[in-house]
Amino acid sequence: MSSVSLPAVVDELMSEAREASSGRSARTVRGHAEHTLRHTVIALAAGNGLSDHESPGEATLQVLRGTVRLTTADGEWHGTAGDLVDIPNVRHGLIADEDSAVMLTVALRGTTRDGRKPTPDSAHTRR
């Protein structure tokens, strides 16, 4: 069993994002070769974001800190700490209205990142 302190990761990444020219920092905290879900924490300094990009497939966005806007051609979703949203399967962007951190969870389409089919217990048996 493994665990991670999300508040500690957010604090570290937020510090990095404030110093980065891009205004952002990210780390995959779960979802390496043996997993079918990938969890990535993304920290964004206020006013920064991710420009429009294609949807990664089935995915969710959970706001861990701050306030963000998920934008699409048809509108936008406003999220605050504790909110969870399904990412639409269309081009979208993300903007931080204040220093913010989110967790992106992406389904890796039925195979592990190394191309193997996962077994029901693979996440518990391989470390």
Side-chain angles (χ1 to χ4, degrees):
M1 183 179 316
S2 64
S3 67
V4 63
S5 170
L6 291 176
V9 171
V10 167
D11 288 345
E12 184 178 328
L13 293 177
M14 201 69 250
S15 179
E16 292 175 10
R18 288 183 192 116
E19 298 295 321
S21 61
S22 65
R24 63 182 183 242
S25 183
R27 178 179 311 146
T28 297
V29 294
R30 182 183 186 279
H32 305 286
E34 71 272 12
H35 298 110
T36 57
L37 290 177
R38 179 179 17 198
H39 302 281
T40 303
V41 177
I42 305 167
L44 302 165
N48 289 281
L50 303 173
S51 60
D52 283 356
H53 54 279
E54 296 301 322
S55 177
E58 186 175 4
T60 61
L61 189 76
Q62 180 179 3
V63 183
L64 301 173
R65 182 179 296 171
T67 61
V68 298
R69 285 178 284 139
L70 182 68
T71 61
T72 68
D74 294 328
E76 59 186 35
W77 171 83
H78 295 261
T80 61
D83 290 346
L84 175 71
V85 66
D86 290 328
I87 295 178
N89 196 20
V90 297
R91 283 187 66 79
H92 61 278
L94 183 67
I95 302 165
D97 293 323
E98 60 187 41
D99 286 355
S100 300
V102 298
M103 183 162 43
L104 172 66
T105 301
V106 177
L108 297 176
R109 295 190 170 97
T111 61
T112 60
R113 287 179 43 179
D114 62 0
R116 291 178 289 125
K117 292 281 185 192
T119 61
D121 294 326
S122 63
H124 299 290
T125 58
R126 290 189 199 103
R127 293 285 173 230

